[in-house]
C-alpha cells in the first residue's frame, strides 16, 4: 500500500475535475452542434416585430384555449363527432401552435429521447380518443407555469412548453390526415 501525499491527492483530484469539466464541455458542444445541424436544413419562419409577435402570441394563446374547450366538449358528447368541425378546429389549432412556436421563441428541447409518433385512427371512436389526447396536450401547454409567472424564467417550464407545442403540431397533422380518411370513408358509404 502506497500512501500519497496530500499535495499529490489534491493534484489527482484537480486532474479528474479538469477531465470531467472538459468532458462535460465536449458533451455540451456536441449537443449544440447536433442541434444546429438538425436546424440548418429547416427554413426558419420569419418572426414579426416584437410588438406584433406579442399581440399575435396573446391572440393565439386565447384562441387555442377556446378551440380546445370546444373540441373537448364535442369529443365528450355521446353523439358522433362532426368531422368537418374537427378538421377545421384541428387545422386552426395547428396554425396557432406553429405561430406560437415562432413568436414565443422557446428553447428547443433536447432530441435525445425519441418522441412517440401519434397513432393512426381507423374509426370514429378512435378519433374521439385521439382528439381527447390532443385536448390534453393543449391543456398542458396553456397551464404551463411559464405563462403564469412571466417574471420568472424556468428553463424546465419553457422546454416543456416547446415540447407541448411540438406534440400539438404532430398530433394535429396526424388527426388532420385521419379525419380526411374518415370523411372519404363516410362519403363512400352514403349513397
Amino acid at each position: 500500500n502506497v500512501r500519497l501525499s496530500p499535495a499529490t491527492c489534491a493534484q489527482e483530484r484537480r486532474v479528474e475535475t479538469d477531465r470531467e469539466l472538459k468532458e462535460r464541455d465536449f458533451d455540451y458542444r456536441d449537443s449544440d452542434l447536433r442541434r444546429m445541424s438538425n436546424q440548418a436544413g429547416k427554413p426558419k419562419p420569419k418572426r414579426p416585430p416584437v410588438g406584433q409577435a406579442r399581440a399575435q402570441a396573446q391572440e393565439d394563446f386565447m384562441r387555442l384555449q377556446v378551440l380546445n374547450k370546444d373540441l373537448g366538449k364535442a369529443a365528450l358528447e355521446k353523439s358522433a363527432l362532426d368531422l368537418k368541425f374537427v378538421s377545421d378546429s384541428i387545422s386552426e389549432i395547428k396554425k396557432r401552435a406553429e405561430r406560437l412556436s415562432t413568436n414565443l421563441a422557446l428553447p428547443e428541447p433536447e432530441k435525445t429521447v425519441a418522441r412517440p409518433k401519434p397513432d393512426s385512427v381507423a374509426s370514429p371512436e378512435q378519433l374521439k380518443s385521439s382528439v381527447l389526447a390532443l385536448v390534453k396536450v393543449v391543456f398542458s401547454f396553456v397551464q404551463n407555469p411559464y405563462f403564469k409567472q412571466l417574471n420568472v424564467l424556468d428553463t424546465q417550464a419553457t422546454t416543456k412548453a416547446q415540447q407541448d407545442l411540438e406534440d400539438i403540431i404532430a398530433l394535429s397533422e396526424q388527426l388532420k390526415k385521419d379525419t380526411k380518411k374518415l370523411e372519404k370513408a363516410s362519403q363512400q358509404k352514403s349513397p
Side-chain angles (χ1 to χ4, degrees):
N1 250 344
V2 177
R3 285 199 175 179
L4 298 175
S5 70
T8 306
C9 289
Q11 186 177 8
E12 282 183 7
R13 274 189 245 124
R14 190 175 16 216
V15 169
E16 287 177 20
T17 304
D18 288 345
R19 186 179 311 129
E20 289 170 359
L21 289 173
K22 285 178 184 177
E23 287 175 8
R24 190 176 314 134
D25 184 51
F26 177 78
D27 289 343
Y28 286 137
R29 288 175 191 246
D30 184 50
S31 172
D32 287 342
L33 285 173
R34 260 190 265 122
R35 187 174 26 254
M36 287 188 312
S37 68
N38 287 340
Q39 293 173 354
K42 299 177 188 175
K44 287 279 187 190
K46 207 172 192 180
R47 281 189 74 199
V50 175
Q52 184 181 358
R54 186 178 301 127
Q56 284 178 348
Q58 287 175 340
E59 174 190 335
D60 292 341
F61 191 80
M62 296 304 290
R63 185 69 183 138
L64 197 61
Q65 291 178 71
V66 171
L67 290 163
N68 197 51
K69 181 178 177 185
D70 293 344
L71 199 56
K73 281 183 182 177
L76 291 173
E77 289 181 2
K78 297 280 185 214
S79 60
L81 283 170
D82 176 358
L83 296 177
K84 172 110 175 82
F85 167 75
V86 171
S87 180
D88 292 345
S89 297
I90 289 169
S91 293
E92 189 172 353
I93 285 173
K94 181 178 182 279
K95 180 183 96 174
R96 301 284 179 166
E98 288 173 336
R99 199 163 73 169
L100 276 166
S101 183
T102 301
N103 288 339
L104 293 176
L106 297 167
E108 290 292 322
E110 288 286 328
K111 299 291 183 187
T112 54
V113 177
R115 311 280 295 162
K117 193 172 182 186
D119 293 332
S120 186
V121 170
S123 70
E125 295 77 29
Q126 289 177 332
L127 180 64
K128 279 190 175 191
S129 64
S130 291
V131 166
L132 288 172
L134 174 64
V135 167
K136 184 178 177 181
V137 176
V138 172
F139 186 77
S140 171
F141 171 74
V142 298
Q143 293 298 315
N144 190 304
Y146 172 71
F147 303 114
K148 307 278 188 220
Q149 303 167 341
L150 294 177
N151 58 344
V152 177
L153 184 60
D154 179 353
T155 56
Q156 286 181 331
T158 57
T159 300
K160 174 71 169 122
Q162 183 61 35
Q163 286 173 341
D164 284 345
L165 281 174
E166 289 178 7
D167 289 347
I168 290 167
I169 293 166
L171 279 168
S172 298
E173 287 173 357
Q174 184 62 48
L175 281 169
K176 184 72 174 169
K177 290 175 190 174
D178 295 337
T179 304
K180 283 184 181 182
K181 285 181 199 173
L182 290 172
E183 284 176 333
K184 283 182 184 178
S186 71
Q187 289 172 355
Q188 290 173 354
K189 286 181 183 177
S190 42

